[in-house]
């Protein structure tokens, strides 16, 4: 329900909340900082929190050709730290749990940013979250006809279908395309399959969030991380979760290489190339986010590890890990 920004004023940096009020758009000072450096991460986290909290209660859940509403249980996490664990334990739908995970990460980022600021600033930020949650809950209750109190004109307006928030988190989490993609992916899942898909999604998203730079991408939020660090001699790595309905499926790590479409060209000189898998490693058990993040960090620090790993024969562990090569695709 609010968009946050920072503004220099008389030697200080103000954090502003801008929202739609009964009489138009209003900006209010949330707090001021003498040091401008903590302002940017605080503003970024607040914008993500506002968007992740507001958008799920502002769109219809259209899975299975119906028009239902998404839950509002995630709103408790804005002010109740004990409720934040619930953001990581549901299985309502792939998209809703994806957004809940992003909200959890944004709240954690905010708390990390507040460590470096005075208590007065921290209290003001937490007070702002209380206002966001209170006004959003009240507006939803009024919209749904469940409000038991007298009709009230709220300071911050909320309208279903038109959330006043900053959408872009750099990951397209809240886009219609992402929601539709995840809805299509879970179509036909049993409850158990959806729970498994949500658990795998959390592992991939959490691991990917710990990467720095743009060299690793979450190609499909529910299934795969693609990592191609700079200076890896054309090699790349994928971390892939199994299909939830594949009882015998396992997580796989694959190392592949780009091959020039023109055999007379060298890698790096070609205008087009096709990727081909060199080795794959089927994991005996599902990994956790820390294991995948460690693997990605190793490749980020030493890109040519991919070259070394690609040479390993079947049955041996790739260097520095306990992950065994289970199949080679070259002679």
């Amino acid at each position: 329900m609010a968009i946050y920004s920072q503004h220099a004023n008389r030697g200080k940096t103000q954090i502003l909340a801008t929202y739609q009020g009964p009489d138009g758009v209003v900006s209010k000072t949330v707090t001021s900082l003498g040091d401008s450096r903590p302002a940017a991460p605080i503003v970024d986290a607040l914008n993500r929190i506002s968007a992740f909290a507001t958008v799920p209660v502002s769109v219809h859940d259209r899975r299975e050709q119906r028009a239902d509403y998404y839950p509002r249980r995630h709103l408790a996490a804005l002010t109740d730290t004990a409720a934040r664990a619930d953001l990581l334990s549901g299985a309502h739908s792939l998209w809703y749990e994806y957004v809940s995970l992003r909200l959890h990460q944004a709240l954690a980022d905010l708390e990390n940013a507040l460590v470096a600021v005075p208590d007065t600033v921290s209290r003001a930020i937490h007070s702002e979250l209380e206002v966001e949650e209170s006004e959003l809950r009240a507006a939803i209750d009024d919209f749904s006809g469940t409000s038991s109190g007298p009709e009230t004109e709220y300071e911050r307006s909320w309208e279903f279908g038109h959330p006043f928030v900053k959408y872009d988190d750099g990951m397209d989490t809240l886009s219609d395309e992402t929601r539709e993609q995840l809805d299509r992916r879970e179509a036909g899942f049993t409850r158990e399959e959806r729970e498994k898909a949500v658990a795998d999604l959390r592992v991939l998203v959490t691991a990917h969030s710990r990467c720095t730079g743009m060299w690793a991408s979450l190609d499909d939020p529910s299934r795969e991380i693609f990592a191609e660090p700079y200076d890896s001699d054309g090699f790349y790595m994928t971390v892939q979760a199994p299909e939830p309905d594949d009882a015998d499926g396992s997580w796989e790590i694959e190392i592949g290489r780009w091959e020039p479409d023109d055999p007379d060209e060298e890698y790096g000189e070609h205008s087009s190339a096709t990727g081909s898998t060199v080795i794959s490693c089927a994991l005996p058990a599902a990994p956790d986010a820390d294991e995948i993040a460690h693997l990605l960090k190793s490749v980020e620090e030493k890109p040519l590890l991919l070259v070394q790993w690609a040479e390993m024969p079947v049955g041996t562990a790739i260097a520095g890990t306990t992950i065994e090569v289970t199949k080679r695709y070259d002679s």
Side-chain angles (χ1 to χ4, degrees), residues 60-70 92-93 186:
H60 278 120
D61 177 3
R62 298 191 181 277
R63 293 175 303 153
E64 300 175 3
Q65 289 76 52
R66 67 182 190 277
D68 206 347
Y69 295 117
Y70 283 97
H92 173 271
S93 60
E186 71 172 86

Side-chain angles (χ1 to χ4, degrees), residues 3-4 8 14 33 60 129 277 282 299 301:
I3 296 174
Y4 296 90
Q14 293 179 319
L33 297 95
H60 278 120
L129 291 182
T277 304
V299 171
E301 293 174 349

